[in-house]
Amino acid sequence: RVEIRKVTIREKPAPVPEPFVTETAAELGAHRAVIETSAGNLTLEFFPDRAPNHVRQFLRLAASGVYDGTAFHRVARGFVIQGGYLETRREPLEERQAGFVRALQPEFNATPHDRGIVSMARGADPASATSSFFIVLAPASGLDGQYTVFGRVVDGLDVVAQIEQVPLTGETPVTRIEVNRVRVLR
């Protein structure tokens, strides 16, 4: 027999723990992300041994749906395609999602910016990266040591090539390249 002696009713649900806070570098490295776009899917692997906080941030934002409904908004042929910019998001962030978007300290590393590398975009301040990322289209040594490499495309380079060739107005795709969702796999 079980007897309930006290019940507490909360006004709000109990807080949900923040994802990807306690994982070790090895555990973070076991994850992959699939970016499902209107042009096809891209699968990313991560380098938590080189940029653990950037990997945590990307996985946290992906798992909480922050990237869903954004777009690859910039295509600089022969250089990069860029996505994850929150101004391109179709719907506003929920309060919990917005709480996960925070500036990162740089984690520059020796990984060269070669084709397929995923690196975090930022403003003039090296500590201003938040959500926007780019995929390198060709060797770009000028980015080395200036931007944090945190992963690479392991499947879908054909989709990257297809995105690079879309019609543009300047560096903006004429037709929106939708990020339908980003799935985190283990």
Side-chain angles (χ1 to χ4, degrees), residues 98-120:
F100 295 150
V101 179
R102 44 185 93 108
L104 293 164
Q105 290 300 313
E107 296 176 296
F108 302 141
N109 54 69
T111 308
H113 282 82
D114 291 328
R115 182 169 178 75
I117 284 295
V118 183
S119 197
M120 201 59 106

